[in-house]
Amino acid sequence: MADQEKETAARQGWMGLLARAPEAALMALWDRVEARPAYDWLRAPETGGVMVRGRAGGTGAPFNLGEMTVTRCALALADGTVGHAYVQGRSRAKAEAAALIDALMQTEAAERIRALVLAPLAAQMAERAETRAARAAATKVEFFTLVRGED
C-alpha cells in the first residue's frame, strides 16, 4: 500500500507542475522530446470553468473565491497507458502535451522525460518564484512602535 501512495504522490507532483507551468516554458521543453508515441483520444481537449474555493487563513470555513478557466483531456498510448491533463487556461496544445507527458511518465520513458522536461521545468519555476519573492521582499516595510516616555 505504501508503494501505491508513493506513486500517487509522485504523479500528483508532476501533474501539478504541468498544470501550473507557463505554456511557453512547457512547450519549449516539450519540443526537445524527439520520439513521441502514437495515441488515441479518450477525451479530446475541452475548455470549461471550475469554481475555486478558498479558506480564510487556510483553516477557516470554505468559501467560493471565483471561477477559473481550465482545459482538460485524456489519451491512451498504444500500450494502453492512460494520460490525463487539467491545465490552467484555454491552451489545447498545452493540455495535449501535459497528457502525453503524464502517460510517458508511467512508462519506461519516465527518466528521459523527467530529465528533458520535468526537472528543467521545476528549476525554471523555482527560479521564477525566488525572483518574485525577492522583488516582493524589496518592498517590505518594517513597522515598529516607539514608546514615548513612561507614565
Side-chain angles (χ1 to χ4, degrees):
M1 189 66 174
D3 289 341
Q4 181 67 31
E5 290 174 3
K6 287 180 185 177
E7 290 175 14
T8 299
R11 190 171 184 200
Q12 287 173 342
W14 75 64
M15 290 182 81
L17 177 68
L18 294 169
R20 291 184 307 272
E23 180 180 2
L26 175 61
M27 299 311 288
L29 291 168
W30 178 238
D31 287 342
R32 295 171 41 189
V33 177
E34 294 177 12
R36 297 186 188 173
Y39 62 89
D40 292 315
W41 288 115
L42 300 177
R43 174 182 287 144
E46 56 189 11
T47 301
V50 295
M51 180 60 67
V52 178
R53 301 197 70 184
R55 291 179 179 266
T59 58
F63 63 93
N64 292 337
L65 184 62
E67 291 187 5
M68 181 175 106
T69 303
V70 297
T71 302
R72 69 177 181 175
C73 67
L75 53 80
L77 301 179
D79 67 0
T81 306
V82 176
H84 298 278
Y86 281 81
V87 299
Q88 295 178 7
R90 298 178 176 274
S91 175
R92 293 171 181 260
K94 180 182 174 185
E96 178 183 1
L100 267 168
I101 291 168
D102 177 47
L104 289 171
M105 286 299 293
Q106 299 172 66
T107 67
E108 63 279 350
E111 288 308 313
R112 182 172 60 93
I113 297 300
R114 186 181 323 277
L116 287 174
V117 180
L118 295 179
L121 186 60
Q124 286 178 17
M125 290 181 67
E127 181 180 334
R128 185 174 162 213
E130 288 174 14
T131 302
R132 189 173 181 198
R135 279 198 330 246
T139 65
K140 184 177 179 181
V141 177
E142 294 288 339
F143 291 96
F144 57 93
T145 304
L146 293 176
V147 177
R148 295 183 186 216
E150 292 188 23
D151 288 356

